[in-house]
Every structure is written in structure tokens, then in C-alpha cells.
Amino acid sequence: ALPLKQSKQQSLSAFFARRGLPQRQKGEEAMAARTTSSMLLPVVMLLAFAGSTFSMLSAFVPAPSSAALRGAPQAAAAVTYGALAAAVPAPAQAFSETELNQFGLVFAIFFLGFFIAGFFRMLTVGKL
């Protein structure tokens, strides 16, 4: 059975060689070929990224040479309106402190109900 297996492998290698197809590699050669091919893609991608980064360095627009910026009058108007709005007294608070405390109590009781229901469910299921 051994000579037949060797002759079969020889005929397969001759078949691949006649057609110019790559032959199967064995052992360390195959592992080395896989390692270099797997390392090639990240290196190529890194070089492509670096090249595209260096080619884009001239893509930024330089700063204007004059001190006056476009839209300066509109910005000054916005600052003026903001200062006027901040100077106007605030309206009275809609809720007093006692009303806020009462709402907090309702809020706390609402979540206490959920806590008690969850605790009751946990104890009745039987799995802690």
C-alpha cells in the first residue's frame, strides 16, 4: 500500500507542475508560508494608511491673514442679546419647596411598591 500511495502523490505533484498550479506544502514550509501571507496584509494596510495620511497633509485650508473674521457683526449681536437676556430678572418659581417634597414622597412610594412586589416575587419563586 505504501508504494501506491507514493506513486499517487508523485502523479498529483506532476499534474500540478504541468499546469503551473501551486503544490501543497507540508509541515514547516506550509506554516511559514501561511505566516508570511498573514503578516503581509496588515503591513500593506499600514503602509497604505500612512501614505494616505501623508498625502492629505496639504488638504487643510490655511488661516485667514486678516484679523477680521467673517460673521463678526453677527457674533457681536448674539453676545449683546445674550447679555440682555441674562440681565432680565427670572420669573417666580412655579413650585414651592413643600410641593417638591410632596412630589418626592409620591415618587418614593411608587418605587417602594415596585421594590416590595419584586421582593415578594423573589421569595415566592423559591430560587434565591
Side-chain angles (χ1 to χ4, degrees), residues 114-126:
F114 271 101
F115 175 77
I116 291 172
F119 193 63
F120 180 74
R121 169 89 173 137
M122 184 178 70
L123 291 177
T124 57
V125 167

Side-chain angles (χ1 to χ4, degrees), residues 1-14:
L2 189 60
L4 179 63
K5 189 174 185 182
Q6 287 178 349
S7 66
K8 192 173 186 181
Q9 286 179 346
Q10 289 173 353
S11 64
L12 276 175
S13 63

Side-chain angles (χ1 to χ4, degrees), residues 33-116:
R34 275 184 261 136
T35 304
T36 51
S37 66
S38 66
M39 291 291 294
L40 188 63
L41 180 64
V43 170
V44 168
M45 290 180 65
L46 183 65
L47 289 175
F49 177 73
S52 66
T53 304
F54 287 128
S55 68
M56 290 175 38
L57 287 178
S58 63
F60 294 105
V61 179
S65 59
S66 66
L69 297 175
R70 287 179 285 154
Q74 290 86 0
V79 169
T80 305
Y81 290 137
L84 289 174
V88 173
Q93 295 281 332
F95 298 108
S96 67
E97 189 174 347
T98 55
E99 289 172 332
L100 289 174
N101 287 340
Q102 289 170 355
F103 175 72
L105 286 174
V106 170
F107 203 73
I109 290 170
F110 180 76
F111 279 104
L112 180 65
F114 271 101
F115 175 77
I116 291 172

